Amino acid sequence: MLRTALRTLRSHRLRFAMPALAVLLGVAFVTGSLLYGDAAKAAVARAQTNSQPDVSVQVEPVSPDEASRVDGALLERLRKLPSAAVARGVVEGPAFVAGSDGTLVGDVSQAAGVNVVPGDGGQDVRYPFVSGHAPRTSGEVAVDRRTAERAGYRVGGRARVVVGGTARSVRLVGVFTAHDSRLEADGTLTAFDSATARRYFAPAPGSYSTITLTAADGVSDARLAREAEKVLPSGVMAATRAELESSATTGDEDKLTQLLLSFAGVALFVSTFLVANTFTMLSAARAREHALLRAVGATRSHVMRRVLTEAALVGTVASIAGYALGTAVATLLGELFGATGTPAGPVRLLSATPLIAAFAVGIGVTVLSAYVPARRAAGVPPVAALRTVEPSTAASLRRRGIVGVAVTVFGALLLGAALGDTNLLYAAVPVFLVGLIVLTPLLALGVTALLRSPMTRVAGIRGKLAVENARRNPRRTAATATTLMVGLAMVTAVTVAVSSVNRMDEQEVDASMTSDLRITAVPFAEVGGDTAARVARLAGAEAVTPLVDTYFDLSRDDSVAVTGVNPATVEQLAPITVRKGSLDRLGHGIAVTEKLAAERGWRLGSRVTGAFTGTSERTSLPVVALYDGPDRLGPALVADRAVPRTAGGAHLSSVGSVLVKAADGRADALGREIRYALDNPALLVQDRADARAAATAGTAPFLNIMYAMLSVTVLIGALGVVNTMGMAVFERVREIGMLRAIGLDRRGVAAVLRIESVTISLFGSALGVAVGGVIGAAAVLGEEGVPLVIPWDRAVLFFVAAAVIGVLASLWPGRQAARVPMLTAIGADGQ
């Protein structure tokens, strides 16, 4: 059996090449995802273990509201524990490094500022210095070695860092090394002395982010944690090193691996159609061979086992090659996702789970896909097979069509019910796709019937022959088109969803961008508390106001969102309509929207009692105005100077943005002046066009990654078209010879195959775009405020790409068909 199967693979190696390649790609995707996930977990665990080698126990607040309890007094109490050798106060926060070219270095989401705590000899065990020394004053910093190299800085020179929303020029006094997950993810580390770091990053005045303890000799981490808990105030917890490492390796890397595996599943699903189509066509071409085996005594089970053995061998070869390619895929995934907060280290070439998965998936998918064709090959009676293999009957297609319509309608109803329900949408999409897949042969017959007349007028007899060839076996045409349909459906659905979200973001910008210019921070950065005052001093700025986002806590469980503004200028910068009262008195009270006033039962003159977030001091504010305005300036306003500040003068709450009105015709010039005056690469100075572009810029990398992931599925679909056309040439050798004999030249033969290939490709792409549009619409229409946008330009591009795929897919088969000698072709039996 095995020798016979191997001989069959050698003699038909070109016919098995495409399904093997499709399975290979799917296996590579699966193994690459698993290998990358293992590498990411190992990198996170390694960084967690190595980044804080002195940590036995970590003390931290259970919630941000309790941050003030982790203070200097608690640090002193913990230092006195007999079981603690060292107690260290840690403060960390966002800090960015600007390179010598003026741009920010590294991934801003992983840019951190830390405090250095030198021990004996001036070294910090967490941040060992390779040159220079630890910072000692507020005008000194140290950075990690890779950041220094990328920024072009040397010890002793000046460096620019952005902290607290302000760019500062400081002296670089040291360069250190560190094993930190943020550095693994392309981030930066900037070290300050403890006093300066506490001023910048302390979550509450006089507090620390965390306190870490090092156990004394002979003391276990668990014992140290128990003793520490005895002196901890309420709202503060202690975690051992083992607990910290356990929690560090159960995060985003698992979710990302699952996402990648879902894409790999789609690719493998599409591969099943290519494999099944190949074995179906091979079974038809080898019908006489199977019939002779039956005639000389082979049983049905023998024929079936033989076909399945061939499939298993194809799957084995694809699994071996797929695993090898999967190691390269894992490395590529590390490059794609390493900077997203999920770092990955070196990929292990041999890993048990990915290796087992590769063979299970590769062999399993191939054998399962070949099962139905194998049963058909074994089920044909010897005498019938010796004559010919009849195509599917019309009655069979009608039954399949009835089932397809029923499942498709049910899937469509589920999609309608899934509006606004993501979980139901995930269940509805597969049902809808399966229904269409079952229905596709009947759709293929209908579409090709409509195309027959126009294709005859456009391409003459060649067009008619091409369409008739596509109609000859609608199951095969449908299976080929399905490989393209599924991939393009996913691509289109993602494109529709992203385009719709982008349009919503643009509309929100149009509604909120009420001034000539807006100053905002790059993601993960902040606007400095003095930014508005500095801009207001510029000659071209007619009006300036900061927008300080905070909350006014009415009770423990009730609060109102409040925006701090400049009462003297805000009405010049935003379309605010005061219904009652006046904003002139905002410095001594609060203004609320009419909607909020109606909900709360407040009137002009009512007093609102509460405390600003970040403070415990309660105050009573009178309602001085009722107004209507944009959502960005609601539902309540206070004077920006009323928002509590730190001892250094910064707002306790973040400055979301600064609105600027320019003098007539001075907007562009003022924008340049602001950039020069602030000289801060972490701040963006935007007009309306810039704001719209920035609002949608974040989805571009996501969309590109989705396209990259789904491109494997589309590639398998293209291989399906190539495979079908190549197999068709082997089947139609005698037919091609007859066409040549009655006057069709070589170019004509190639043209027939090319038109057939393009027809099938466009049919699959049309289904894919239509289905993807429906799925994307179902995902979007259920979300409040998201308009449905159909990206027609992308849809046209998909159709053009499908036509190109059809042309390319026909090149090799067309060349092979044209090269067959006419007399040889006439005398061939098509096998």
Side-chain angles (χ1 to χ4, degrees):
M1 179 78 72
L2 183 61
R3 283 200 305 269
T4 304
L6 287 172
R7 282 198 299 269
T8 300
L9 292 183
R10 284 196 297 268
S11 60
H12 298 291
R13 54 185 176 273
L14 290 179
R15 304 187 187 188
F16 286 109
M18 291 302 170
L21 182 56
V23 176
L24 183 154
L25 292 174
V27 170
F29 209 158
V30 170
T31 56
S33 301
L34 292 173
L35 288 170
Y36 167 70
D38 289 346
K41 289 180 182 179
V44 172
R46 184 173 60 252
Q48 178 68 20
T49 301
N50 297 334
S51 63
Q52 299 180 346
D54 59 328
V55 174
S56 301
V57 172
Q58 179 169 291
V59 175
E60 58 189 5
V62 296
S63 69
D65 294 337
E66 309 292 346
S68 60
R69 298 179 182 274
V70 184
D71 56 11
L74 177 60
L75 177 61
E76 291 303 317
R77 290 200 301 274
L78 292 171
R79 277 179 177 158
K80 295 177 182 178
L81 292 175
S83 55
V86 177
R88 171 179 177 141
V90 177
V91 277
E92 297 183 345
F96 310 90
V97 178
S100 55
D101 60 355
T103 61
L104 296 180
V105 177
D107 182 357
V108 294
S109 69
Q110 303 294 328
V114 299
N115 66 315
V116 173
V117 183
D120 297 337
Q123 282 284 10
D124 187 325
V125 294
R126 297 186 188 178
Y127 312 110
F129 283 82
V130 295
S131 63
H133 58 81
R136 303 188 182 104
T137 68
S138 61
E140 297 177 343
V141 299
V143 298
D144 66 274
R145 180 162 53 188
R146 185 161 181 258
T147 297
E149 293 172 352
R150 289 190 291 177
Y153 290 149
R154 295 179 180 273
V155 172
R158 305 297 295 182
R160 287 186 63 77
V161 298
V162 181
V163 187
T166 303
R168 308 170 194 274
S169 177
V170 292
R171 184 171 298 282
L172 182 67
V173 297
V175 173
F176 57 84
T177 60
H179 296 283
D180 193 289
S181 60
R182 290 166 292 200
L183 296 181
E184 296 272 358
D186 196 41
T188 61
L189 287 182
T190 306
F192 304 86
D193 66 284
S194 289
T196 302
R198 290 180 75 183
R199 188 166 65 250
Y200 290 151
F201 308 128
S207 69
Y208 293 95
S209 303
T210 61
I211 295 174
T212 60
L213 305 176
T214 304
D217 291 340
V219 177
S220 68
D221 294 353
R223 175 184 164 187
L224 177 57
R226 288 194 300 270
E227 294 189 8
E229 288 173 348
K230 295 177 182 179
V231 300
L232 297 182
S234 61
V236 181
M237 60 177 288
T240 64
R241 183 182 190 86
E243 292 170 340
L244 294 173
E245 291 178 356
S246 175
S247 63
T249 57
T250 58
D252 293 339
E253 66 276 2
D254 285 331
K255 297 178 182 178
L256 184 55
T257 301
Q258 293 169 6
L259 177 64
L260 292 172
L261 287 175
S262 67
F263 283 112
V266 174
L268 287 168
F269 176 69
V270 174
S271 299
T272 61
F273 293 97
L274 197 159
V275 175
N277 212 18
T278 299
F279 278 92
T280 298
M281 296 171 76
L282 280 173
S283 296
R286 297 162 58 195
R288 182 172 297 173
E289 174 188 335
H290 294 156
L292 287 172
L293 287 173
R294 294 289 308 280
V296 297
T299 63
R300 291 186 178 185
S301 61
H302 176 86
V303 175
M304 184 172 179
R305 287 198 305 272
R306 181 177 176 182
V307 175
L308 293 180
T309 301
E310 295 167 2
L313 289 173
V314 172
T316 301
V317 173
S319 298
I320 295 171
Y323 185 88
L325 181 60
T327 59
V329 171
T331 303
L332 178 60
L333 291 174
E335 295 293 328
L336 283 174
F337 295 104
T340 64
T342 306
V347 176
R348 293 177 58 189
L349 296 182
L350 290 176
S351 185
T353 301
L355 189 61
I356 293 172
F359 284 94
V361 169
I363 298 174
V365 166
T366 311
V367 171
L368 288 175
S369 302
Y371 179 76
V372 172
R375 285 197 61 181
R376 289 176 180 167
V380 178
V383 175
L386 285 169
R387 292 194 302 266
T388 184
V389 176
E390 296 294 332
S392 301
T393 64
S396 174
L397 279 183
R398 283 197 297 271
R399 288 193 297 269
R400 176 169 173 165
I402 292 171
V403 174
V405 169
V407 177
T408 302
V409 170
F410 179 62
L413 293 175
L414 282 179
L415 283 177
L419 298 182
D421 187 341
T422 304
N423 292 328
L424 184 56
L425 183 66
Y426 289 146
V429 169
V431 174
F432 186 58
L433 282 175
V434 168
L436 283 170
I437 290 169
V438 175
L439 189 59
T440 303
L442 207 58
L443 293 175
L445 277 179
V447 170
T448 50
L450 293 175
L451 289 176
R452 182 163 43 195
S453 177
M455 288 300 294
T456 302
R457 288 197 296 270
V458 171
I461 189 62
R462 300 173 184 178
K464 184 175 182 178
L465 287 172
V467 173
E468 289 299 329
N469 284 338
R471 288 176 55 81
R472 178 184 302 179
N473 193 326
R475 292 177 183 272
R476 180 185 305 171
T477 299
T480 306
T482 296
T483 59
L484 272 177
M485 180 192 78
V486 175
L488 285 176
M490 296 296 100
V491 170
T492 304
V494 170
T495 305
V496 169
V498 171
S499 299
S500 300
V501 171
N502 283 347
R503 180 64 56 82
M504 179 190 69
D505 291 340
E506 291 174 349
Q507 291 175 349
E508 289 180 351
V509 167
D510 292 340
S512 63
M513 187 70 178
T514 57
S515 57
D516 296 327
L517 298 172
R518 181 178 71 181
I519 303 170
T520 187
V522 299
F524 305 98
E526 58 184 307
V527 179
D530 63 342
T531 301
R534 294 171 64 185
V535 173
R537 290 195 288 268
L538 298 178
E542 283 195 354
V544 179
T545 182
L547 302 183
V548 186
D549 301 315
T550 187
Y551 285 89
F552 196 63
D553 300 325
L554 306 179
S555 65
R556 186 177 183 84
D557 301 317
D558 188 16
S559 62
V560 174
V562 174
T563 303
V565 298
N566 184 341
T569 60
V570 66
E571 289 185 89
Q572 302 176 56
L573 292 158
I576 291 178
T577 302
V578 177
R579 303 297 183 183
K580 293 181 181 179
S582 173
L583 294 183
D584 294 339
R585 300 174 55 208
L586 194 58
H588 306 285
I590 185 172
V592 299
T593 61
E594 286 195 316
K595 180 180 178 181
L596 179 62
E599 292 175 352
R600 299 282 183 168
W602 295 336
R603 299 188 303 273
L604 193 66
S606 297
R607 302 198 72 85
V608 181
T609 302
F612 286 100
T613 294
T615 67
S616 57
E617 182 180 353
R618 294 180 66 82
T619 184
S620 180
L621 300 175
V623 176
V624 298
L626 302 179
Y627 72 98
D628 288 329
D631 292 341
R632 182 63 183 85
L633 295 175
L637 299 175
V638 296
D640 64 312
R641 62 176 180 270
V643 179
R645 298 172 181 261
T646 64
H651 289 101
L652 282 178
S653 301
S654 63
V655 178
S657 58
V658 175
L659 304 184
V660 183
K661 180 181 179 182
D664 291 343
R666 289 291 311 277
D668 292 340
L670 180 59
R672 291 190 293 270
E673 292 175 16
I674 292 173
R675 294 184 185 94
Y676 179 80
L678 298 180
D679 191 22
N680 186 342
L683 294 182
L684 303 174
V685 182
Q686 302 170 329
D687 58 18
R688 189 179 297 272
D690 294 332
R692 285 170 62 95
T696 59
T699 59
F702 168 80
L703 190 59
N704 291 335
I705 290 174
M706 292 297 102
Y707 283 165
M709 297 298 101
L710 292 170
S711 63
V712 177
T713 304
V714 177
L715 175 59
I716 293 174
L719 292 177
V721 180
V722 175
N723 182 65
T724 296
M725 300 314 300
M727 298 285 285
V729 171
F730 289 115
E731 286 185 343
R732 302 173 189 169
V733 172
R734 180 180 295 176
E735 175 184 324
I736 291 170
M738 294 299 296
L739 291 173
R740 294 283 308 283
I742 62 175
L744 196 64
D745 58 12
R746 292 185 175 184
R747 288 186 179 181
V749 171
V752 170
L753 290 173
R754 184 165 55 250
I755 295 171
E756 180 183 354
S757 178
V758 171
T759 300
I760 295 174
S761 298
L762 289 178
F763 172 60
S765 67
L767 279 177
V769 171
V771 172
V774 171
I775 295 172
V780 167
L781 292 176
E783 301 297 328
E784 183 178 356
V786 182
L788 176 60
V789 176
I790 304 297
W792 297 109
D793 55 339
R794 299 286 181 96
V796 171
L797 181 62
F798 296 155
F799 276 109
V800 172
V804 172
I805 288 173
V807 172
L808 295 177
S810 68
L811 293 180
W812 177 74
R815 188 178 298 111
Q816 292 297 112
R819 290 170 59 183
V820 177
M822 186 188 308
L823 294 178
T824 301
I826 294 173
D829 60 0
Q831 298 186 49

